[in-house]
Amino acid sequence: MLDILDGARERLARASDPVPCAVATIVSAQGSVPRPVGTSMLVGADGALHGSLSGGCVEGAVLEACREALETGGSSLRSFGFSDEDAFAVGLMCGGSLEVLIQPFAAPPPGARSPLGTVDDPSPAAYVTRLPRDSDVPRTVAPEGDDADGPRAVLLAGDGAEEVRGALTMLLPPELLEAGSAQVAAMLREARSGTLRLPAGASTIDLFVESRIRPAHLVVCGANAFGQALVEAARPLGLRITLCDHRPAFTDPTAFPGAEVVRAWPHRFLAAAAERGDLDARSMVCVLTHDPKVDVPVLATALRLDIAYVGAMGSRRSDHDRRTALREAGVDEEALSRLRSPIGLDLGAGSPSEVAVAILAEILAVRAERRTVEPLRDGSGPLHARTAASR
């Protein structure tokens, strides 16, 4: 839901002509599925369609379910899986299964607050929905105060205990509030998304918690053609991108759209970023400067940090000389073993754009903990296995 939240509430907030919409969100996934839990698709009453849940194999059925929700005002859970009897029936040809929450949203009455918040709200840390059960009477997600049982979804802007507890009072009965709040707060701190099942007498109350974590940080050192190509290729991946170079003449921000451009010596920037908490275990540093006076200090700094990826461009001779210089700078062998140099996978890349693809391919492999990479056709494991680092 979070990935299309802004688009959904902008549609409802149109002053002259608000457009009702329905949102389909993956709340559970088993086996081989193309998109992760939390992926959403929006269907507007005006026929607009945004997003995709499965790359095409269940979109038709989801579209019809969203249209039904817009007509009836009822939320529902729908299951989609592989059909052994009819491979062309509605289902996932890849063999996995999805549980999809269908939620209709309409513009709230004058003076009432939408359950989606407003376009001026800060980015939420989480979206929490109370899932309908089979025994539930279908109904819409009502604005606060319009429904005897309260709204079925809340936005959370932080993970503080009091804030979470206050928000969940609208979703949980008093006897479940303490346990539910503690578990939701833990999920937010760990940036986990999923369904939380709370026992409620002879039945259960299920909450779908979708956490928003800040994007992984990619630091590109080197304002040159290779740095420019890497920034451009990385933009669709949803990363926070910083381009760092100490040369004022080369650091024109307009040359690197989508990136924060920093004029500083890269090793100083990296040390300051680590001190500020701008780098974490998912961060990546790509050194493309090909200049020893820049490479050695920044790599020595990067290899001492707990980050996911450190790569450096250069020939094998340059790599040999650089490793020698790093040893002389006090970098030990364990840290040196983490250096991806020469940078990138061996894809036969030559041009800056091709090299950018090779670098990003290696980054994806490292994030997925793939020690070796081979064509998918030569493997036998699941295609869409995901690790915590890839969320």
Side-chain angles (χ1 to χ4, degrees):
M1 178 66 184
L2 291 174
D3 57 344
I4 61 171
L5 178 61
D6 290 342
R9 56 190 179 184
E10 283 173 1
R11 302 181 71 80
L12 298 183
R14 290 181 183 175
S16 59
D17 186 24
V19 178
C21 61
V23 177
T25 304
I26 298 175
V27 298
S28 176
Q30 301 292 330
S32 181
V33 294
R35 303 298 302 277
V37 167
T39 301
S40 293
M41 177 174 125
L42 179 147
V43 176
D46 57 356
L49 180 65
H50 300 283
S52 171
L53 299 188
S54 67
C57 49
V58 302
E59 263 67 11
V62 171
L63 176 61
E64 290 304 314
C66 286
R67 287 172 174 166
E68 179 182 338
L70 286 169
E71 292 176 1
T72 65
S75 300
S76 63
L77 280 174
R78 305 293 179 97
S79 296
F80 301 94
F82 179 76
S83 171
D84 291 322
E85 296 180 357
D86 184 359
F88 295 97
V90 173
L92 290 164
M93 298 299 296
C94 51
S97 62
L98 298 175
E99 192 170 35
V100 179
L101 171 65
I102 311 294
Q103 295 173 281
F105 295 94
R113 180 178 175 83
S114 167
L116 295 176
T118 70
V119 292
D120 298 324
D121 287 340
S123 295
Y127 188 76
V128 184
T129 308
R130 179 170 169 173
L131 299 181
R133 298 192 306 271
D134 292 340
S135 59
D136 283 343
V137 176
R139 62 177 183 174
T140 187
V141 180
E144 184 174 354
D146 282 7
D147 190 286
D149 295 326
R152 305 287 283 189
V154 293
L155 291 171
L156 294 175
D159 58 5
E162 290 303 317
E163 185 174 27
V164 172
R165 184 182 178 88
L168 293 187
T169 57
M170 299 184 288
L171 298 181
L172 295 175
E175 63 271 19
L176 294 181
L177 192 56
E178 183 174 350
S181 298
Q183 293 182 62
V184 169
M187 292 180 71
L188 300 189
R189 287 193 298 271
E190 298 168 11
R192 290 187 289 118
S193 295
T195 298
L196 177 63
R197 177 156 291 182
L198 300 171
S203 62
T204 63
I205 291 177
D206 294 340
L207 298 181
F208 176 64
V209 182
E210 183 186 355
S211 301
R212 169 174 281 175
I213 60 176
R214 64 179 181 175
H217 196 173
L218 170 64
V219 179
V220 180
C221 303
N224 51 35
F226 291 96
Q228 193 171 25
L230 183 55
V231 167
E232 181 177 1
R235 278 205 308 269
L237 300 184
L239 304 171
R240 175 187 174 185
I241 307 173
T242 299
L243 186 285
C244 183
D245 197 298
H246 66 287
R247 301 169 297 176
F250 292 86
T251 47
D252 178 2
T254 62
F256 302 93
E260 171 193 14
V261 177
V262 175
R263 293 176 183 145
W265 282 89
H267 68 285
R268 294 175 181 169
F269 165 76
L270 212 59
E275 183 70 21
R276 292 191 303 269
D278 281 347
L279 300 174
D280 59 27
R282 300 171 299 139
S283 300
M284 302 144 281
V285 174
C286 297
V287 179
L288 312 180
T289 48
H290 209 346
D291 182 346
K293 70 178 181 291
V294 177
D295 295 359
V296 174
V298 70
L299 289 173
T301 301
L303 290 170
R304 294 187 178 104
L305 300 175
D306 179 19
I307 58 179
Y309 180 92
V310 181
M313 176 177 285
S315 66
R316 298 198 183 279
R317 178 175 178 177
S318 296
D319 174 59
H320 177 272
D321 294 343
R322 189 162 46 212
R323 289 177 186 269
T324 299
L326 286 168
R327 291 186 183 95
E328 293 173 353
V331 179
D332 60 33
E333 293 301 321
E334 182 180 357
L336 273 176
S337 68
R338 297 173 44 230
L339 176 58
R340 302 280 173 163
S341 175
I343 197 170
L345 295 186
D346 185 7
L347 304 180
S351 69
S353 295
E354 291 172 344
V355 170
V357 171
I359 293 171
L360 292 175
E362 184 177 48
I363 286 175
L364 291 176
V366 169
R367 292 175 69 186
E369 300 178 357
R370 302 294 173 86
R371 298 183 63 86
T372 59
V373 179
E374 60 183 11
L376 287 173
R377 68 174 186 178
D378 295 338
S380 58
L383 299 184
H384 301 289
R386 294 178 181 271
T387 66
S390 67
R391 290 181 299 175

